[in-house]
Amino acid sequence: MPDSIAIRGNNQVDEASIRGDAGLVGGTTLNYRDIQRAIRSIFATGQFDDVKITCDPETPGGKTILAITVAERPVLAELHIEGVDRVSKKSVRDRIEIPEARPLNPALVTRAIERIDSLYEAHGYYLARVKPETTMVNQQIRLTFKIDEGRRVAVSGIRILGNTRIASHDIVAAMKTKPEGFWWFKKGAFDEDKFAGDLGDRLPELYGRRGYIDFQVVRDTMIVDRTNGKALVEITVAEGPQYRVGDFQIEGNHRFPSEELRRFYPFDDYTRSFTSMLKSTVTGGDSRAPKGVFDKTRWDEAFNNVQTAYRNEGYIYADLRPVVERRTTSDSSHVVDLRWVIDEKAPAIINRIEIAGNDYTVESCIRDQLVIIPGDVFNQDRLIRSWQSIGNLGFFETPVPPPDTRPANEQGDVDVIFNVKEKRTGNVNFGASVGQGLGVGGFIGLDQPNLFGKCKRGTLQWQFGRYVNDFNLSYSDPSIRQTRFSGTVSAYRSQARYTVADLGRSLRTGGSFEVGFPIPNSPFTRLRLSYGAEVVSFGNTGLLGAQKSLYGNDSFRSTLGATLQHDTRADMPFATSGGMQQVSAQFSGGPLGGTYTFQQYRTEMRAYAPLGQIGGKAQGSQPMKFVLGLTGRAGVVTGNTGPFFYSQEFALGGVQYGEQLRGYPEFSISPFGYVTGTDNFNATRLSFGKAFFTATGELGFRMNQSLYVNLFTDVGNVYETARQFDPTRLFRGSGIGVSTVTPLGPLGLDYAYGFDRLDKFGRPDPKWVLHFRLGQLF
């Protein structure tokens, strides 16, 4: 029974707080339980490193004193982190839950070390070391976490256990986690997110494509050698039985007959798409299941196609369920019976369409891009096409967010909302330009594709230099007086001296206007009618100088033209899907006036098919896309072009003048074959033909809207007349190209190999050629 309680050793914590936490009172009988409870209560405050309770019975006056002696923890004044480079410093700081200006708790320091270690392990840095260091200043402590990140642990090997049906190398090939290899780019770096995706998505997908839908990852282990920075990944799997396809049924369908829906069923036949065959060729194998074996990936894709078919007819509330029922037959075979259970419900009608985020661009300009209107039955394909058309305008930040839908009323109608964010569109560009034949010069350009926020375009370009002085002015209105008619007016004065092939000097002055008309029931098709007039005069040198002696100094051309175009391309300016078909005709002279009478006909067809993409799964992200592109172009001229041949007939070779055929110099291909001789080809009247054909196949990689890389093959020829067209007489070239859009204008580089070039003796002499395009010459 102590007479009083004494508190000793405290400097920062007041005595009353300690007494209250201890709960001991003088003059009362105490036992060991009271003492233990007091010690625990004081420790629980987190303020002290040590607590002792002692009894001092021999004090003056014969009083007994119970002394509570504490050792206070120092207060944390500052917390620092050093050595963070390969992960976010904020993410490391978030792992440290140690408050400043409070006594430092060693348990929290230990916990922070463990959590930082876990963070680095999640990023593959299993060799990271965390060391806390403290510095005492005036009873306050400074804590520094010093981190030695080390390097990422390298996966030396992947061991698969439990697999008997699929080889280990096929399993590893399907994973993004790869062991290190001989080449420098096979580093074997371990990434926790990629590994989780392997176990949760890619391995089940691999087995599911081959009918093993009961596949499971039983266990995964990483054995880390911290001394050498290596790791062995060990994965134990349970493959389960292989399932074959059994019966198939469709239930609940009324909008589509069963025969029409069954065309989506993937196991009736075993034909392969062109894209599938191309992927198999590129990857070197076919991962599809054998005929009759259930392929979960194809089953899921088929169901998605059925959903799309219903959504395109407005049944966005339809409840569609794919059912897979497992059973074992009498001969112990494993079979799945498949069903599509459909509850169609009522189709949805578009109630209203809203545009949000357009602070500068007028709403009517955006609505002109839509192929859906209020009152239409909801159609997913047309909704996506409208969304892509808005992105193709180029007025908004990309990627444009996907459109939102929301219920409009109790009848199931929907509202559609397109969200956009304006970006700067007008620009002033200036700089240098260089090109084969036009020399070195400069250019100044003013371009505003969204004048007054009404999608009207105004352009002024001036290109000048030693060999060129071009001035162009144009104005385009895609919606004249808020109608579906478009118009373009342009004027130009072009003075050029062509040094390539000694073509000579010309001065062209003229203008044109064009009116576009929509085609009923075809939102992507337009007919454009145009009229142009041009006066041309020539210098005294080169091929054009020879034309001056024949036709005089001035020649006048009056032209009426018509163009029919159907364009469904998406992701412009480097398309990744859709296509474009165009036919045009120009009539010069005759009743229109002019020096000579002739007609020119052209056709162009382009098609693009996406092959795959990298990233872009998160909403609002911009994926990098692989694309297959095919282009075909042809042209014919009839009549007498007179002095206008060099701009109205066709020259083939290079990229700068005339029709493009990479791998060959300008004017090097004539209607009479390849021009042999030196590398500097001189253009003659015979270099031009009245018919041409070219085709291009390309495998492209679209990184973003400003950068595109491709592998290409060009073929083509030019003919004296259209009757001489021969598809077996085509010159070939292949190579690699890079195209980009810069603030100073477009830029293109092509490095191509001409297979059918000849030397001056007429012997095969294939070569590589670098084609360069910059500024307004692209």
Side-chain angles (χ1 to χ4, degrees):
M1 183 185 297
D3 293 297
S4 60
I5 308 295
I7 307 299
R8 300 171 182 170
N10 61 308
N11 293 315
Q12 301 173 12
V13 183
D14 61 275
E15 183 176 313
S17 297
I18 299 175
R19 289 182 183 275
D21 293 331
L24 302 178
V25 180
T28 60
T29 302
L30 303 178
N31 55 38
Y32 74 93
R33 292 188 181 89
D34 299 325
I35 301 301
Q36 290 177 343
R37 184 170 56 251
I39 293 174
R40 284 196 298 268
S41 298
I42 296 173
F43 260 124
T45 64
Q47 305 274 1
F48 308 104
D49 280 330
D50 191 19
V51 178
K52 294 180 180 180
I53 297 182
T54 58
C55 181
D56 187 4
E58 298 179 359
T59 59
K63 300 291 185 179
T64 301
I65 299 175
L66 187 70
I68 302 176
T69 305
V70 298
E72 293 179 322
R73 288 176 176 168
V75 174
L76 178 61
E78 295 180 90
L79 191 151
H80 296 274
I81 303 170
E82 297 180 359
V84 176
D85 180 49
R86 297 176 181 176
V87 300
S88 166
K89 192 168 185 177
K90 180 180 182 301
S91 62
V92 175
R93 185 64 181 87
D94 291 341
R95 298 303 191 278
I96 303 174
E97 297 179 344
I98 303 176
E100 296 184 9
R102 297 284 301 277
L104 179 63
N105 189 337
L108 295 180
V109 176
T110 302
R111 183 183 178 190
I113 294 174
E114 294 173 349
R115 297 188 68 188
I116 295 173
D117 273 334
S118 298
L119 173 66
Y120 273 94
E121 287 183 2
H123 285 79
Y125 294 94
Y126 282 81
L127 307 180
R129 295 290 183 270
V130 184
K131 181 180 179 181
E133 293 186 357
T134 57
T135 305
M136 293 292 297
V137 178
N138 298 326
Q139 297 300 314
Q140 291 189 333
I141 193 168
R142 175 179 177 176
L143 175 62
T144 303
F145 286 93
K146 293 191 174 182
I147 301 175
D148 179 10
E149 295 180 318
R151 62 179 178 86
R152 274 189 173 180
V153 66
V155 178
S156 60
I158 300 177
R159 180 186 299 161
I160 310 297
L161 304 176
N163 60 309
T164 58
R165 307 296 181 88
I166 298 182
S168 295
H169 62 83
D170 289 336
I171 296 176
V172 175
M175 300 171 59
K176 284 192 175 181
T177 303
K178 304 289 186 183
E180 61 183 350
F182 173 77
W183 299 105
W184 75 94
F185 55 84
K186 293 186 175 181
K187 299 179 180 179
F190 180 80
D191 186 288
E192 187 78 23
D193 292 336
K194 289 182 179 179
F195 186 60
D198 291 333
L199 302 184
D201 298 325
R202 284 177 279 276
L203 294 188
E205 180 183 349
L206 171 66
Y207 273 89
R209 286 199 303 265
R210 305 191 186 189
Y212 298 97
I213 56 177
D214 293 338
F215 167 83
Q216 290 182 333
V217 176
V218 178
R219 182 174 61 253
D220 63 278
T221 306
M222 175 177 284
I223 305 170
V224 179
D225 180 357
R226 294 185 180 272
T227 302
N228 298 313
K230 307 291 184 180
L232 174 65
V233 176
E234 192 174 273
I235 302 174
T236 304
V237 301
E239 295 177 315
Q242 186 181 55
Y243 287 86
R244 300 187 68 83
V245 177
D247 298 330
F248 173 65
Q249 294 179 343
I250 304 174
E251 299 177 0
N253 56 304
H254 301 288
R255 171 61 183 84
F256 296 101
S258 297
E259 294 77 14
E260 188 171 349
L261 289 179
R262 192 170 182 105
R263 67 187 176 89
F264 295 110
Y265 181 62
F267 304 116
D268 274 343
D269 58 59
Y270 218 57
T271 57
R272 300 182 61 189
S273 66
F274 174 77
T275 302
S276 175
M277 291 188 289
L278 180 62
K279 287 183 179 179
S280 297
T281 302
V282 174
T283 57
D286 187 0
S287 60
R288 300 183 310 157
K291 187 174 182 179
V293 173
F294 178 67
D295 185 335
K296 187 175 185 301
T297 300
R298 295 180 69 203
W299 172 248
D300 292 340
E301 290 175 352
F303 179 70
N304 290 335
N305 292 335
V306 173
Q307 286 184 312
T308 300
Y310 269 95
R311 288 171 182 165
N312 286 342
E313 296 298 324
Y315 292 88
I316 62 175
Y317 299 113
D319 182 14
L320 290 80
R321 291 185 296 113
V323 178
V324 178
E325 294 179 342
R326 298 167 172 82
R327 64 180 172 90
T328 304
T329 62
S330 58
D331 59 353
S332 299
S333 298
H334 295 274
V335 175
V336 288
D337 293 330
L338 307 173
R339 281 185 296 145
W340 285 331
V341 180
I342 302 171
D343 181 10
E344 294 179 341
K345 301 181 180 177
I349 305 298
I350 297 177
N351 179 61
R352 58 184 298 178
I353 298 176
E354 298 179 5
I355 311 294
N358 54 315
D359 302 323
Y360 176 71
T361 306
V362 298
E363 187 167 308
S364 60
C365 175
I366 302 174
R367 289 187 180 274
D368 286 341
Q369 307 303 312
L370 306 181
V371 293
I372 56 174
I373 60 174
D376 281 349
V377 173
F378 182 88
N379 185 294
Q380 181 169 281
D381 281 349
R382 294 172 64 192
L383 177 68
I384 293 175
R385 182 64 224 184
S386 299
W387 168 57
Q388 293 174 336
S389 297
I390 292 175
N392 285 345
L393 283 173
F395 304 156
F396 310 108
E397 292 187 3
T398 56
V400 175
D404 295 328
T405 58
R406 67 186 179 203
N409 50 45
E410 296 179 356
Q411 286 73 37
D413 298 338
V414 296
D415 293 335
V416 178
I417 304 97
F418 292 94
N419 295 285
V420 297
K421 186 176 181 180
E422 300 275 8
K423 72 174 183 181
R424 184 186 65 83
T425 54
N427 62 79
V428 178
N429 55 59
F430 57 90
S433 65
V434 61
Q436 296 168 309
L438 296 182
V440 179
F443 62 89
I444 298 174
L446 304 176
D447 184 19
Q448 174 52 271
N450 192 14
L451 275 174
F452 318 119
K454 297 181 179 181
C455 297
K456 307 177 191 301
R457 185 177 199 125
T459 303
L460 185 152
Q461 298 289 345
W462 179 31
Q463 187 175 347
F464 54 89
R466 179 180 178 185
Y467 300 130
V468 62
N469 194 334
D470 283 354
F471 183 83
N472 296 274
L473 180 66
S474 68
Y475 172 78
S476 298
D477 189 343
S479 180
I480 300 174
R481 293 185 177 273
Q482 302 300 311
T483 66
R484 298 288 292 172
F485 300 102
S486 61
T488 299
V489 178
S490 63
Y492 59 89
R493 185 181 188 276
S494 176
Q495 181 178 359
R497 175 187 173 192
Y498 299 94
T499 60
V500 166
D502 193 25
L503 190 59
R505 186 191 301 273
S506 72
L507 174 62
R508 300 165 53 235
T509 304
S512 65
F513 68 87
E514 179 184 85
V515 180
F517 304 89
I519 301 300
N521 302 319
S522 183
F524 306 114
T525 306
R526 293 188 73 82
L527 173 65
R528 300 196 302 269
L529 301 179
S530 64
Y531 174 78
E534 179 182 71
V535 175
V536 181
S537 60
F538 306 113
N540 297 317
T541 60
L543 177 60
L544 298 183
Q547 299 304 306
K548 178 180 179 180
S549 63
L550 293 175
Y551 299 103
N553 189 47
D554 293 317
S555 298
F556 176 67
R557 180 168 62 90
S558 177
T559 301
L560 181 65
T563 300
L564 183 65
Q565 183 184 72
H566 180 74
D567 192 351
T568 60
R569 291 174 294 177
D571 287 336
M572 297 298 288
F574 305 116
T576 60
S577 63
M580 189 273 287
Q581 301 83 40
Q582 177 175 290
V583 178
S584 64
Q586 289 187 341
F587 306 92
S588 301
L592 300 173
T595 309
Y596 282 85
T597 300
F598 56 92
Q599 301 81 42
Q600 184 191 82
Y601 306 93
R602 284 177 176 266
T603 182
E604 179 176 1
M605 296 185 180
R606 296 176 178 266
Y608 300 91
L611 299 178
Q613 67 180 47
I614 300 175
K617 294 183 178 180
Q619 181 172 336
S621 60
Q622 186 172 2
M624 296 182 288
K625 297 182 179 181
F626 295 93
V627 60
L628 176 68
L630 299 174
T631 301
R633 303 178 71 245
V636 175
V637 172
T638 61
N640 183 8
T641 55
F644 303 106
F645 74 93
Y646 80 103
S647 61
Q648 299 302 306
E649 293 187 9
F650 309 111
L652 190 63
V655 299
Q656 192 61 62
Y657 188 95
E659 305 304 324
Q660 173 178 282
L661 187 64
R662 291 163 288 190
Y664 299 85
E666 311 287 336
F667 301 103
S668 61
I669 299 174
S670 75
F672 305 97
Y674 184 78
V675 180
T676 60
T678 65
D679 287 338
N680 297 319
F681 300 96
N682 291 326
T684 67
R685 180 65 181 87
L686 299 179
S687 300
F688 297 82
K690 291 190 174 183
F692 85 96
F693 170 78
T694 61
T696 298
E698 61 181 299
L699 183 63
F701 180 47
R702 181 186 184 274
M703 297 184 182
N704 51 50
Q705 279 193 318
S706 300
L707 185 59
Y708 180 73
V709 181
N710 68 335
L711 300 173
F712 60 83
T713 293
D714 289 346
V715 296
N717 205 347
V718 61
Y719 310 96
E720 189 175 11
T721 65
R723 292 183 178 181
Q724 295 179 349
F725 172 73
D726 183 356
T728 65
R729 279 184 57 211
L730 298 177
F731 291 86
R732 303 162 298 161
S734 294
I736 183 172
V738 180
S739 300
T740 183
V741 179
T742 71
L744 297 181
L747 170 67
L749 289 174
D750 296 303
Y751 194 49
Y753 188 77
F755 292 94
D756 302 306
R757 296 175 56 148
L758 304 174
D759 63 12
K760 62 182 179 180
F761 301 106
R763 297 173 300 191
D765 186 27
K767 289 182 180 180
W768 287 95
V769 177
L770 178 64
H771 302 285
F772 180 65
R773 298 168 289 181
L774 175 66
Q776 307 310 314
L777 307 180
F778 176 43

